[in-house]
Amino acid sequence: MQNNPSSIHRMRYFRFIVKLLLGLVLLLLLLIAASVVPIDETPYRQTDFYRQTKARLAALPLPPKPTAPLQAGWAKVNITPAYTTPTGGYGVRRGKHWTTVHDSVFVRTMVFSNGSNTVAVLALDLLITPPTVAAQLKKRLPEVGLTWDNVYSGAIHSHNSVGGWAPGLVGELIAGDFDEKLVGRLTDAILQSIRLAKQRMDPVTVGYDEVDGTPFIHNRRDDSGPVDGPIRTLKFRKASGETAYLCTFSGHATIYRAVEGAGHLSRDYPGALVDRIERATGGFAAFMAGAVGTTSPRVEGDSDGRKPVARYADSLARRLLPRLSAIQTRPDSALALLTLPLSLREPHARIADGWRLRPGLFLSFYGDYPSELKALRLGPALLLGTPCDFSGELVPDVLPAAQQRGLHLMVTSFDGGYVGYITPDRYYHEKHYETRDMNWFGPGNGAYFTEMMRGLAGKL
């Protein structure tokens, strides 16, 4: 019996397809094996990165005592580009260009000195303090007589502000196509704001107040979960009566929703709140995102378009504004800033529970940027700056370290590095955006960060 030639041809073709599929499966398995490794759950206190950072903390010098009364100056510089840029804001924006300026964006700078120390406080109307801008500042701050150790930086965390400042695949997903010229322009504007603020320095008195903002935010991991609720404010007053206010709050600046088909540049509710403070007081105001990790604004009614931003800012202002004039300011020359470089666990960008991308692969997508904690003693307040979306649920773990020293704690996010979200360690294995997708450097960082923040507080 002879084989049918067409049957033989089909059999050969079938075998070829099977071999090809097997080869592809084998290649896929090899690629997976080369691309993923198990999660490292070694307790953080048993790691080299912990010992390195602990040694740096112990070696930090005590700041010198003041030799003069506290002086301050403030200034703002418009950083709105003359051309459209990608939008920095994650999510559905995906780096799309804004086409309309709803409200301009600024860098708002306050410079302080007590004769022994000088500190520039930068409040950027951006998503974060871009690591690329921080890198440029480290090189160029001597132009204005400072170094990075003299700078405390934060951002409003608007998801509808200027992007284009982050290279790499992950950077483009966050902030759109990279524009190196834009990084230079942002750096130029920051340096100019420092120059202007230094020219306007005069003796100041300082006061602190906080008002409950808990009704206006919620825990987006667990709607009934805890949040860091206070709207915290530092007030500075010159003998001329001129005033300045530095506010922090933990609500994510994600209220603004651009009209379909028209991207709008906007500072979201922090910008609207700053505008209301300045109109009501005739002074200067700056805002920094607080412990915004896992916290969203609680918006009533329509949440699409621009009107909710105004309503939300009005709600905050009704609580905040009546108290601002009543804040009593006093002479207080306490001023000191410490910078603690952080060593971290290898990158842990997880693809499944128990598995992560190889560290080198993640770094090729994102980049390798230094990360630091900052601690600023400013009059009656202790500001702790973090390189992340720092969870409000972790603030109670740090608060006693400030209270024991009679200081008011203000935790801020986005100090110049960015390591994703830092959340309580008990949530590490949860399949949630903050705890898996944006938790990039492995387990144990909630306890690790708060331990180092308490240690910094102890130095001041």
Side-chain angles (χ1 to χ4, degrees):
M1 180 176 179
Q2 293 183 341
N3 290 326
N4 186 316
S6 62
S7 297
I8 294 173
H9 177 74
R10 286 196 297 271
M11 183 61 68
R12 288 174 178 172
Y13 181 73
F14 176 74
R15 288 172 179 169
F16 170 77
I17 293 298
V18 170
K19 290 179 180 179
L20 178 62
L21 291 174
L22 289 173
L24 291 173
V25 170
L26 180 60
L27 178 61
L28 179 61
L29 291 174
L30 289 173
L31 286 173
I32 292 174
S35 301
V36 302
V37 290
I39 287 173
D40 174 14
E41 299 209 48
T42 303
Y44 76 92
R45 287 181 175 171
Q46 299 176 19
T47 65
D48 288 338
F49 73 81
Y50 171 76
R51 287 186 283 270
Q52 291 165 2
T53 305
K54 190 78 170 176
R56 292 190 198 108
L57 176 63
L60 285 175
L62 295 176
K65 295 182 179 180
T67 58
L70 185 67
Q71 291 195 325
W74 39 82
K76 66 180 181 180
V77 172
N78 196 318
I79 57 174
T80 308
Y83 55 92
T84 182
T85 72
T87 302
Y90 307 98
V92 296
R93 297 160 189 85
R94 300 184 187 277
K96 293 179 182 177
H97 279 233
W98 53 267
T99 58
T100 303
V101 178
H102 177 264
D103 50 285
S104 294
V105 292
F106 296 84
V107 52
R108 296 168 181 267
T109 297
M110 309 174 80
V111 176
F112 301 91
S113 177
N114 66 355
S116 299
N117 301 304
T118 299
V119 176
V121 176
L122 311 177
L124 294 161
D125 289 342
L126 298 173
L127 180 72
I128 64 175
T129 302
T132 50
V133 172
Q136 287 295 311
L137 286 172
K138 289 174 183 179
K139 296 176 182 178
R140 297 186 55 193
L141 278 165
E143 296 175 20
V144 293
L146 301 176
T147 71
W148 184 246
D149 288 338
N150 300 109
V151 172
Y152 187 99
S153 186
I156 62 171
H157 202 45
S158 169
H159 288 52
N160 284 87
S161 188
V162 174
W165 33 254
L169 178 60
V170 175
E172 290 183 6
L173 290 173
I174 293 173
D177 293 337
F178 181 57
D179 183 350
E180 191 169 1
K181 291 181 179 179
L182 178 63
V183 172
R185 292 188 180 101
L186 290 172
T187 305
D188 289 341
I190 292 169
L191 295 174
Q192 178 64 6
S193 72
I194 294 172
R195 290 188 187 97
L196 292 172
K198 290 179 75 173
Q199 293 169 8
R200 301 168 183 174
M201 294 182 72
D202 292 298
V204 294
T205 52
V206 56
Y208 174 89
D209 188 41
E210 60 183 61
V211 59
D212 185 27
T214 303
F216 307 108
I217 53 178
H218 69 100
N219 186 316
R220 63 188 186 187
R221 190 199 66 83
D222 175 5
D223 192 61
S224 62
V227 295
D228 181 42
I231 308 168
R232 300 174 172 92
T233 305
L234 274 169
K235 178 180 179 179
F236 306 93
R237 183 180 179 89
K238 296 183 178 181
S240 64
E242 185 181 354
T243 55
Y245 303 88
L246 176 61
C247 297
T248 67
F249 186 49
S250 295
H252 247 86
T254 52
I255 298 175
Y256 190 91
R257 297 289 187 271
V259 179
E260 185 69 27
H264 289 69
L265 184 73
S266 174
R267 294 172 291 157
D268 207 282
Y269 84 82
L273 179 61
V274 162
D275 291 346
R276 283 156 174 75
I277 294 172
E278 291 187 337
R279 284 198 298 267
T281 65
F284 175 92
F287 181 98
M288 288 184 179
V292 296
T294 66
T295 306
S296 283
R298 191 180 295 280
V299 181
E300 302 297 335
D302 181 16
S303 62
D304 195 33
R306 285 157 274 178
K307 292 181 180 179
V309 171
R311 289 201 306 267
Y312 192 81
D314 285 340
S315 296
L316 297 180
R318 279 193 291 271
R319 291 208 170 196
L320 182 62
L321 294 181
R323 300 176 67 108
L324 295 183
S325 61
I327 298 176
Q328 296 297 310
T329 62
R330 298 176 177 82
D332 191 335
S333 56
L335 177 69
L337 177 62
L338 295 176
T339 301
L340 178 62
L342 284 172
S343 295
L344 296 169
R345 199 186 296 266
E346 287 183 334
H348 273 60
R350 284 170 290 170
I351 60 170
D353 197 28
W355 294 93
R356 58 182 168 124
L357 288 178
R358 284 191 178 274
L361 188 58
F362 173 81
L363 293 176
S364 70
F365 292 151
Y366 178 63
D368 190 4
Y369 302 103
S371 300
E372 301 149 333
L373 292 173
K374 294 269 189 175
L376 172 61
R377 170 73 189 276
L378 183 51
L382 172 65
L383 285 78
L384 292 176
T386 63
C388 58
D389 284 78
F390 188 80
S391 173
E393 293 191 53
L394 293 171
V395 171
D397 295 341
V398 186
L399 184 60
Q403 292 175 330
Q404 289 166 9
R405 289 158 182 81
L407 300 175
H408 302 286
L409 180 65
M410 303 171 75
V411 175
T412 63
S413 300
F414 319 118
D415 69 0
Y418 190 67
V419 300
Y421 276 68
I422 299 299
T423 56
D425 299 325
R426 61 186 178 274
Y427 304 145
Y428 183 72
H429 290 283
E430 288 189 1
K431 295 179 181 179
H432 195 273
Y433 174 75
E434 287 93 345
T435 55
R436 173 168 291 186
D437 298 347
M438 294 297 293
N439 190 323
W440 294 343
F441 285 87
N445 279 321
Y448 174 48
F449 272 56
T450 54
E451 179 179 341
M452 294 305 160
M453 292 163 75
R454 292 192 297 271
L456 279 171
K459 291 279 187 174
L460 296 175

